[in-house]
Amino acid sequence: MEQEKEKNEETAENKLTWRDVIVFLEAQRTDAFDYQRLEDENRTLKRDMEQLQQTVTKLQLEKESLQKELAVIQKDYKMLIGIMERARKMVILEEDEHARKVKFQMEKNIVLEKVEK
């Protein structure tokens, strides 16, 4: 008799009630909804990440192109400044040379005349 009592107690402890099953299934359904939502969010984030990576790649190529263009412009600018500097020096030398050759003579009626050397 004592064995039957222990057996009944064990089965009572091991028995699941309908309420336990319902609670378990509701938890599983909630978990499934959460899982689906997380999967959808994950897909969206992956798609966004791919778009951003494409944008980054495009911008890197554009940056490299602009850097090359800038280097060419800077080189041309330095060359132009050098040409302008040489031209300025040549003009100054020509003016100095011309100024040494030219003399002015003032007549009595206050007219300046250029006199070449």
Side-chain angles (χ1 to χ4, degrees):
M1 188 141 173
E2 202 171 295
Q3 285 179 344
E4 279 183 35
K5 189 176 180 183
E6 284 180 21
K7 194 175 182 183
N8 286 338
E9 286 177 11
E10 285 178 14
T11 55
E13 289 176 6
N14 291 335
K15 278 187 180 177
L16 288 176
T17 64
W18 282 107
R19 181 72 186 140
D20 293 337
V21 171
I22 291 171
V23 169
F24 174 76
L25 290 175
E26 285 176 344
Q28 290 300 313
R29 185 179 68 180
T30 303
D31 289 347
F33 285 137
D34 288 344
Y35 179 77
Q36 186 61 41
R37 183 184 54 79
L38 290 173
E39 272 190 339
D40 292 343
E41 185 177 344
N42 190 22
R43 275 193 292 278
T44 302
L45 291 173
K46 281 183 180 180
R47 188 173 44 249
D48 291 348
M49 184 178 72
E50 288 173 3
Q51 289 174 347
L52 289 172
Q53 285 175 338
Q54 289 173 357
T55 302
V56 166
T57 302
K58 177 185 168 192
L59 290 173
Q60 284 174 335
L61 292 173
E62 187 177 343
K63 175 188 161 202
E64 289 171 7
S65 172
L66 289 172
Q67 284 176 329
K68 288 177 186 176
E69 187 177 337
L70 175 64
V72 168
I73 290 171
Q74 286 176 331
K75 180 181 174 187
D76 291 348
Y77 176 76
K78 286 179 183 178
M79 198 178 329
L80 179 62
I81 294 297
I83 291 169
M84 290 173 60
E85 185 64 26
R86 284 193 301 271
R88 186 184 64 78
K89 287 179 183 178
M90 287 174 63
V91 168
I92 290 173
L93 288 176
E94 287 177 7
E95 286 177 357
D96 284 348
E97 200 173 287
H98 184 66
R100 282 188 232 137
K101 287 182 182 179
V102 177
K103 281 191 172 182
F104 291 94
Q105 180 178 9
M106 189 180 295
E107 295 180 0
K108 291 181 182 176
N109 58 359
I110 309 180
V111 174
L112 288 176
E113 282 186 21
K114 225 192 288 188
V115 179
E116 299 279 334
K117 280 189 174 181

